[in-house]
Amino acid sequence: MNRQDYQITSWCRRMIQEHVQAGDLCIDATMGNGNDTEYLCRLTGPKGRVIAFDIQEEAVLHTKRRLQEKLSYYNYELHLDSHCHMDQYAVPGTVSCIVFNLGYLPGGDHKVATKAETTIAALEQGLLLLKQGGVMSVCIYSGGDSGFEEKDAVLGWMKGLDPKNYLVLVTEYYNRPNHPPIPALIIRL
């Protein structure tokens, strides 16, 4: 394995891959630059469907360009909308995977970032949308200008999930300085 394989997104993708099949429905709750949207589109294939959300028009435009350049098929919906409205776009119990990258748009305005209140509302909706055996990937970024409150709130919320219905896995980059990201997975049992 090389160093890239241990980045937070690579670690989460290895777990996601085990839960997503061609033809599935997936959600990218925080579209950003479209990396996860593209990844989910490739996993679900031409007969699958990916719904992606972001509140920044820049993210939607960048992702649209990326997907048009990199994919030969169209299996996605890009929405300029908050992830806390995802329940309006999918039916409960039908989604194989939901991806969250908390924090701010890489290269974007650090003042525009995910917030605990809307993130937890979206996570709760996501649990209802996940099918049995579905996975929710949550990459928690925190640091000096974003996320400590959100990180604590999200981890506290996860700890309270019913263990009969959900398996929650939280990992740490334990020997990394400067508030390293925290990858977490929620699997619906």
Side-chain angles (χ1 to χ4, degrees), residues 46 48 68 71-78:
Q68 288 172 340
L71 296 176
S72 62
Y73 49 87
Y74 183 88
N75 67 341
Y76 53 88
E77 299 171 25
L78 308 180

Side-chain angles (χ1 to χ4, degrees), residues 75-92:
N75 67 341
Y76 53 88
E77 299 171 25
L78 308 180
H79 296 282
L80 181 62
D81 197 356
S82 171
H83 54 216
C84 68
H85 298 142
M86 74 172 81
D87 64 337
Q88 298 172 22
Y89 298 88
V91 175

Side-chain angles (χ1 to χ4, degrees), residues 31-64:
M31 188 184 324
N33 287 316
N35 295 312
D36 289 325
T37 307
E38 179 189 350
Y39 181 70
L40 293 172
C41 285
R42 290 185 186 284
L43 285 178
T44 60
K47 294 186 179 180
R49 190 166 139 233
V50 176
I51 307 170
F53 299 92
D54 209 292
I55 60 169
Q56 296 179 79
E57 188 171 2
E58 174 188 358
V60 177
L61 294 174
H62 187 270
T63 299
K64 182 177 182 179

